[in-house]
Amino acid sequence: MTLVDLLRVAGGARLSGDVTVVGAKNSALKLMAAALLAPGRTVLTNVPKITDIAIMAEVVRRLGCEVTLTSEDDISRATVEIDVPEVPRHEADYDLVRQLRASICVLGPLLARCGSVRVAHPGGDAIGSRGLDMHVAGLRRMGAEITSEHGFVIATAEKLHGATIWLDFPSVGATENLLMAAVLADGVTEIDNAAREPEIVDICDMLTAMGANIFGAGTSQIVVDGVDALRPVAHRTVGDRIVAGTWAFAAAMTRGDVHVHGVPAAHLEIALDKLVTSGASVAASEDGFRVRIDRRPSAVDIVTLPYPGFPTDLLPMAVGLAAVSEGNSLITENIFDGRFMFIQELTRLAAEIRTDGHHAVVRGRERLSGAPVTATDIRAGAGLVVAGLCADGTTDVGHVHHIDRGYPDFAADLVSLGADVRRIQAPDEPVFTM
Ligand code: EPU
């Protein structure tokens, strides 16, 4: 019999206290790929200690780099040192790519450095189909030849050249891949309708320190004037606004008082404004913000959109908040077609939710009702744990490995804020054979 990890959540906690958020997963992964652009030793600090970073470290190792991860003072964060050879290998295999879709972000930098690259096609995942068409179209405009063969995306380009690229949608991944290709291309590349997330600004800051010429980071038009070579640097990862937002919503849902450190309120403007509309008081502080509420939240309507809109990664928290608010909320998801998969699990906690396409109508209840549930992805997992805090009785959240991919020591942070959450081992589901 095999044992699997569960988070056992006792309902009824009111979260209160201070919590420190470390660097953003979705930045650190791309910064590790950006290191490939320069031979020598890159040092990344404030990197979260999560499974996805360990997988990315292995991706980069298999490309010929030496990678070391050292714990920092806060046990949730590490310093990652990547020593990149003069000529990296240029193939990323399916066994790693299928575990970490973000490994597709090595496509741009390896193509720019090596002139050819083979990356396993990542396929779909639990939150939606997640295409690569914009990555491919943009790199083709820069002179790459790209084919898809035997499960690999294969790209070649003797020398990439500058181009004007209009993205159909401000895709985070496509913007990053194109940026990392453009910094070493011949001439000027303009990316229009570019993504504007703080993680994009973070990678642009690092690339600029490496010697790249980038203008317009954080706006919809990024212009890159290519250079011949880049040098390795030391860089501190920007704080994780999604983890910070998770704590903000958890404070509001549990009628708590939480001071979040490590992420500026400005990176979560619309999300925090929604909490204010629901009745919370939100105050910016020197290194973060504080969220307080001493009554049941009121229903608010929420629509996810690319940054600076409400983040899709906080959709499970938005639905969770609506499930315990007073009144009816309309929650709309515009980024990923599979984001609502976790709603089936939330209804096991007696949440009253009806979905129609990408809309969810949520009728708030005073309390949810604890039950065993299963995490379907990183954010859904965190959302279910926090919903469990608002439920009568015990909620066991299974498939905890999803949460481990994005939240360093989630249970310990919850305990430090006053929750009763324990990681336990339970027998895996039995397998029946004929
Ligand atoms: N899309 C295409 N074609 C493309 C690229 C994207 O159709 O060529 C579509 C996707 O299918 C999706 C939408 O565009 O429907 C948005 O995709 P985007 O490229 O912006 O997202 P991503 O780069 O795949 C990153 C984060 C996600 C986060 C989104 C949106 C990483 C590793 N992942 O994904 O984070 O939800 O941006 O902000 O950076 C998570 O951390 O749990 C997570 C899923």
Side-chain angles (χ1 to χ4, degrees), residues 142 160 177-185 187 189 191 224-227:
M142 297 173 73
L160 293 168
N177 249 328
L178 297 174
L179 260 171
M180 288 191 273
V183 287
L184 288 181
T189 300
I191 308 172
V224 183
D225 192 358
V227 295

Side-chain angles (χ1 to χ4, degrees), residues 25-27 29-30 52 100-104 125 127-136 169-176 195 197 199 241-242 305-307 311-313 334-337 339 377-379 405-406:
K25 165 179 85 74
N26 290 347
S27 201
L29 292 170
K30 323 306 169 58
D52 275 15
L100 179 66
R101 191 182 189 280
S103 34
I104 195 70
D125 64 19
I127 56 171
S129 44
R130 305 181 82 178
L132 289 179
D133 51 324
M134 287 181 263
H135 303 238
V136 169
F169 177 90
S171 154
V172 172
T175 302
E176 289 162 341
E197 275 71 2
E199 295 77 32
R241 67 194 160 92
I242 303 302
L305 281 172
Y307 191 84
T312 174
D313 288 338
N334 286 315
I335 314 294
F336 288 117
D337 47 21
R339 245 331 162 197
D377 69 79
I378 305 175
R379 312 301 171 187
R405 291 185 47 201

Side-chain angles (χ1 to χ4, degrees), residues 5-87:
D5 282 7
L6 296 176
L7 284 184
R8 178 154 291 170
V9 183
R14 177 176 175 269
L15 296 188
S16 149
D18 290 61
V19 65
T20 297
V21 174
V22 302
K25 165 179 85 74
N26 290 347
S27 201
L29 292 170
K30 323 306 169 58
L31 301 176
M32 291 171 77
L36 296 166
L37 287 162
R41 184 166 285 258
T42 292
V43 180
L44 302 172
T45 55
N46 199 29
V47 175
K49 279 172 64 178
I50 49 175
T51 323
D52 275 15
I53 294 293
I55 301 171
M56 191 64 182
E58 188 54 27
V59 170
V60 173
R61 263 187 211 113
R62 288 210 205 155
L63 295 169
C65 304
E66 266 178 40
V67 186
T68 53
L69 289 87
T70 322
S71 292
E72 294 182 15
D73 50 339
D74 179 326
I75 53 151
S76 301
R77 66 178 141 220
T79 293
V80 176
E81 293 188 43
I82 305 176
D83 207 339
V84 180
E86 280 299 328
V87 186

Side-chain angles (χ1 to χ4, degrees), residues 49-369:
K49 279 172 64 178
I50 49 175
T51 323
D52 275 15
I53 294 293
I55 301 171
M56 191 64 182
E58 188 54 27
V59 170
V60 173
R61 263 187 211 113
R62 288 210 205 155
L63 295 169
C65 304
E66 266 178 40
V67 186
T68 53
L69 289 87
T70 322
S71 292
E72 294 182 15
D73 50 339
D74 179 326
I75 53 151
S76 301
R77 66 178 141 220
T79 293
V80 176
E81 293 188 43
I82 305 176
D83 207 339
V84 180
E86 280 299 328
V87 186
R89 288 200 286 272
H90 44 93
E91 181 158 320
D93 291 321
Y94 185 51
D95 65 324
L96 293 176
V97 176
R98 79 192 158 94
Q99 291 183 59
L100 179 66
R101 191 182 189 280
S103 34
I104 195 70
C105 66
V106 301
L107 189 65
L110 287 180
L111 183 59
R113 274 293 306 286
C114 309
S116 76
V117 51
R118 268 165 62 91
V119 182
H121 197 295
D125 64 19
I127 56 171
S129 44
R130 305 181 82 178
L132 289 179
D133 51 324
M134 287 181 263
H135 303 238
V136 169
L139 291 172
R140 282 197 176 128
R141 282 213 155 217
M142 297 173 73
E145 281 187 22
I146 305 183
T147 55
S148 179
E149 286 169 34
H150 307 298
F152 280 85
V153 179
I154 301 174
T156 51
E158 214 158 277
K159 182 72 186 161
L160 293 168
H161 56 72
T164 298
I165 299 162
W166 175 266
L167 296 179
D168 294 343
F169 177 90
S171 154
V172 172
T175 302
E176 289 162 341
N177 249 328
L178 297 174
L179 260 171
M180 288 191 273
V183 287
L184 288 181
D186 263 346
V188 175
T189 300
E190 186 180 307
I191 308 172
D192 286 316
N193 200 24
R196 292 185 279 165
E197 275 71 2
E199 295 77 32
I200 301 280
V201 176
D202 198 30
I203 194 171
C204 286
D205 285 347
M206 172 160 149
L207 292 169
T208 302
M210 291 169 77
N213 295 317
I214 301 175
F215 312 92
T219 74
S220 301
Q221 188 192 55
I222 302 181
V223 177
V224 183
D225 192 358
V227 295
D228 288 337
L230 296 169
R231 55 183 175 272
V233 291
H235 180 86
R236 183 182 161 82
T237 314
V238 70
D240 197 317
R241 67 194 160 92
I242 303 302
V243 175
T246 302
W247 293 125
F249 273 71
M253 285 171 67
T254 61
R255 305 181 203 183
D257 179 356
V258 176
H259 192 161
V260 181
H261 303 269
V263 174
H267 286 183
L268 279 163
E269 224 157 355
I270 290 186
L272 294 178
D273 190 58
K274 288 292 176 189
L275 293 181
V276 171
T277 309
S278 81
S281 116
V282 177
S285 65
E286 204 180 314
D287 67 343
F289 55 86
R290 180 174 174 189
V291 177
R292 267 184 296 174
I293 186 166
D294 50 17
R295 61 169 179 81
R296 187 173 169 201
S298 309
V300 282
D301 294 341
I302 290 180
V303 178
T304 66
L305 281 172
Y307 191 84
F310 188 94
T312 174
D313 288 338
L314 288 179
L315 186 277
M317 301 306 302
V319 178
L321 177 74
V324 295
S325 291
E326 195 163 352
N328 299 332
S329 311
L330 177 63
I331 312 287
T332 305
E333 166 61 28
N334 286 315
I335 314 294
F336 288 117
D337 47 21
R339 245 331 162 197
F340 281 176
M341 266 182 60
F342 94 103
I343 284 181
Q344 286 174 23
E345 295 301 306
L346 200 58
T347 58
R348 290 184 45 73
L349 301 182
E352 291 185 36
I353 308 174
R354 275 173 186 268
T355 58
D356 185 4
H358 60 135
H359 302 290
V361 176
V362 188
R363 186 168 300 158
R365 293 174 54 117
E366 175 82 33
R367 303 288 302 160
L368 298 173
S369 176

